[in-house]
Amino acid sequence: MSTRDRGLAALVALLWGLNFLAVRIGLDHFPPFFLAALRYLLLAVPVILFVPRPKVPLRWLLAYGLGFGALQFGLLFLAIDVGMPTGLSSVVLQAAAPFTVLLGMLLLSERVSGKQIGGVVVAILGLVVIAVDRAQVAALLPLILTLLAALACALGMLAGRLAKPDSPLRFTLWMAVVPPIPLLALSAVMEGPSAGWIALGKSLSLEGLPGLAAMAYIVVLGTVVGSGIWTALLKRYPASIVAPFTMLTPVVGIGAAWIALNETPSALALLGSTVVIGGVLLGTPPRPADVRSPADSETAGKSS
């Protein structure tokens, strides 16, 4: 991997790590389900107009969009909104990787190596440490919601594997067409039919500019630029070379929240986070250069 491409991979991790900070700022101005819906709605319109639909069965496109898109980010945004620390959420969302291994084994009868099982066990131990730490200082509901977001991400990635798209990039872009309707429906039921739209109107004022800037970051830098660079790197290198750079994302997420939001993680939380990241790295199987899932163009959490 060239020095330039290493720098690009690190840049993507930086963009995705800062995405969690942008989400936290956005949630100060928008309800969580509406914010998630708006993120995809702003992508869906140009995708429908300018990007050819990928040649995949509709059921897998819908499953990928619902799991990786609507459920993952709807639950994640809700978790952060009800108290999940921003930096810690970037770590816990990495549970999508061991969940994917386990679900692939259970649902798709995929062969799993001893190393992968070891990675899953290590990651689970790290999550237990984080849960113990959270139980001492706060309610566990935000942590549970984040874990459910990681599980939804894993289910979406399995759908992505089964889809076998002709163009992973177009498949990932068209996924954005699926989440807006279910997320807007959830927003109308749980947040009120007008709450999100009122917040959107307020964001056009001087006071609401931080929320608008956060949304622009999430859509343009966090999603379009980050995923675009990532997809380009996966075209040039095996996933086993590129994927480890995603482990920089939670490091950036924790650091950014620490600096900008004064979220100081406890020693136990840092220990658990380190164990989770180590487990994910241990359990991530190398893949040949010509075998990639569309989920490789984004990460579990990896891109919020």
Side-chain angles (χ1 to χ4, degrees):
M1 197 175 197
S2 69
T3 301
R4 171 182 171 273
D5 287 344
R6 286 194 194 96
L8 287 173
L11 174 62
V12 173
L14 176 65
L15 292 175
W16 284 346
L18 292 176
N19 218 25
F20 287 87
L21 182 59
V23 168
R24 176 61 272 171
I25 295 171
L27 288 170
D28 291 335
H29 298 267
F30 299 100
F33 290 126
F34 187 83
L35 179 64
L38 197 57
R39 168 206 176 145
Y40 283 111
L41 189 61
L42 292 174
L43 285 172
V45 174
V47 165
I48 292 172
L49 292 176
F50 302 112
V51 180
R53 186 180 179 278
K55 296 178 181 178
V56 296
L58 181 61
R59 65 182 182 277
W60 297 129
L61 178 61
L62 291 174
Y64 186 52
L66 288 173
F68 194 93
L71 287 174
Q72 178 189 188
F73 290 104
L75 289 167
L76 175 65
F77 287 14
L78 179 61
I80 296 174
D81 191 57
V82 299
M84 186 67 185
T86 307
L88 198 58
S89 68
S90 67
V91 176
V92 175
L93 203 60
Q94 302 301 315
F99 281 158
T100 303
V101 171
L102 290 176
L103 291 174
M105 179 178 64
L106 294 174
L107 301 180
L108 304 182
S109 300
E110 293 181 347
R111 297 182 65 181
V112 179
S113 68
K115 183 180 177 182
Q116 287 175 273
I117 292 294
V120 170
V121 171
V122 170
I124 290 174
L125 288 175
L127 291 170
V128 170
V129 172
I130 292 173
V132 169
D133 178 67
R134 291 290 299 164
Q136 294 174 359
V137 297
L140 285 176
L141 178 61
L143 175 62
I144 293 171
L145 289 171
T146 310
L147 285 171
L148 289 175
L151 179 61
C153 174
L155 288 169
M157 287 196 285
L158 289 185
R161 290 182 187 176
L162 293 170
K164 299 177 181 178
D166 58 325
S167 170
L169 178 58
R170 283 194 284 121
F171 182 78
T172 300
L173 290 173
W174 264 84
M175 178 272 290
V177 176
V178 179
I181 292 178
L183 286 171
L184 285 173
L186 276 172
S187 177
V189 171
M190 300 187 68
E191 299 163 351
S194 61
W197 301 106
I198 292 173
L200 181 60
K202 290 181 179 178
S203 72
L204 301 177
S205 66
L206 185 62
E207 197 174 272
L209 280 180
L212 206 59
M215 173 56 65
Y217 183 96
I218 293 168
V219 173
V220 178
L221 295 178
T223 302
V224 176
V225 175
S227 296
I229 296 174
W230 195 251
T231 301
L233 290 173
L234 286 167
K235 288 181 179 179
R236 295 199 287 269
Y237 301 99
S240 57
I241 291 178
V242 181
F245 281 90
T246 63
M247 290 301 98
L248 294 173
T249 298
V251 176
V252 174
I254 289 176
W258 199 336
I259 294 169
L261 304 176
N262 200 29
E263 284 185 4
T264 305
S266 67
L268 198 58
L270 285 176
L271 173 62
S273 300
T274 302
V275 173
V276 169
I277 294 171
V280 171
L281 283 173
L282 178 64
T284 301
R287 276 185 291 210
D290 60 342
V291 180
R292 302 184 185 96
S293 77
D296 287 326
S297 61
E298 293 191 48
T299 61
K302 294 173 181 153
S303 75
S304 344

